[in-house]
Amino acid sequence: MSVKKKRRLLMRTVILIVLFAAVGFTLYASLTKDKSPIVVGEKAPDFVLTDLEGNKHQLSDYKGKGVFINFWGTWCEPCKVEMPHINTQYNEYKSQGVEVLAVNMGEPTLLINNFLDKYDFTFPVLEDKSKDVAGLYNIYKLPATIIVDSDGVIVDIVEGQLPEGRIKAMMEQIKPE
């Protein structure tokens, strides 16, 4: 083997080692990153998301109201079952100071609109395109619901589909007095 070929082989080996080290470090850093979990009884992390009409919604703007935050996706079968129930209860509780923020996790607007064309939801649907808010709330499974009282404190965190009776009870729980 010529000296040129040996140098080229050595250079390629070094580049591969550096590349693998960078990938390994990135994986390690992302897996061990300190993600402080959200906890019932603590202040809900504030966020700002835009709805499908272009209106901004900031959680802290809802102080004084109970907020039912539901993370969902168009592909999620349990979401399709619970969202009409959420809408029914929202229509009952919105005049009593309860708001619903339906947060879609990272899907294209066209896909969301196609999904919503099949329903007549009256609550705002927010887009979390980058999934930053889902990450802030440690949401990895859908559907997921966080309920926040009128003081901005997390009252309950639920992963999985909610039956209508539970949705009603949760809204009753966060209804301002």
Side-chain angles (χ1 to χ4, degrees):
M1 192 184 275
S2 72
V3 173
K4 244 183 178 178
K5 286 185 178 180
K6 284 182 181 178
R7 279 190 193 153
R8 196 176 318 141
L9 178 63
L10 179 63
M11 194 57 122
R12 287 179 181 165
T13 304
V14 168
I15 289 171
L16 274 174
I17 290 170
V18 169
L19 182 63
F20 282 123
V23 168
F25 176 76
T26 302
L27 285 173
Y28 172 78
S30 68
L31 292 174
T32 60
K33 185 166 45 170
D34 182 27
K35 293 181 181 177
S36 41
I38 58 167
V39 178
V40 170
E42 290 187 358
K43 204 81 158 152
D46 199 17
F47 62 85
V48 178
L49 288 174
T50 305
D51 65 24
L52 297 170
E53 285 78 44
N55 303 310
K56 296 215 178 285
H57 295 261
Q58 184 163 1
L59 181 61
S60 57
D61 289 345
Y62 291 95
K63 188 165 175 62
K65 295 184 174 194
V67 184
F68 188 100
I69 307 168
N70 182 258
F71 291 87
W72 67 282
T74 61
W75 51 268
C76 167
E77 291 303 320
C79 299
K80 293 175 187 177
V81 173
E82 80 175 2
M83 287 182 79
H85 299 314
I86 293 170
N87 193 64
T88 299
Q89 294 308 314
Y90 172 62
N91 287 328
E92 183 176 324
Y93 281 90
K94 68 182 171 185
S95 64
Q96 300 175 52
V98 175
E99 294 292 332
V100 168
L101 300 176
V103 180
N104 179 274
M105 285 182 45
E107 295 183 283
T109 304
L110 180 63
L111 198 59
I112 298 168
N113 281 325
N114 287 343
F115 175 85
L116 295 175
D117 284 346
K118 300 173 188 162
Y119 302 94
D120 190 25
F121 298 137
T122 55
F123 50 74
V125 174
L126 313 181
E127 295 182 278
D128 187 10
K129 290 194 175 296
S130 61
K131 300 182 184 174
D132 288 343
V133 175
L136 181 65
Y137 279 81
N138 298 318
I139 304 298
Y140 301 101
K141 296 179 191 173
L142 296 181
T145 303
I146 316 289
I147 59 169
V148 179
D149 70 13
S150 58
D151 294 321
V153 175
I154 297 170
V155 174
D156 202 356
I157 302 167
V158 180
E159 283 186 345
Q161 180 181 327
L162 296 168
E164 189 166 6
R166 177 90 189 270
I167 294 166
K168 181 178 182 70
M170 291 170 86
M171 288 191 183
E172 187 66 37
Q173 188 177 5
I174 58 172
K175 179 176 74 172
E177 296 178 20

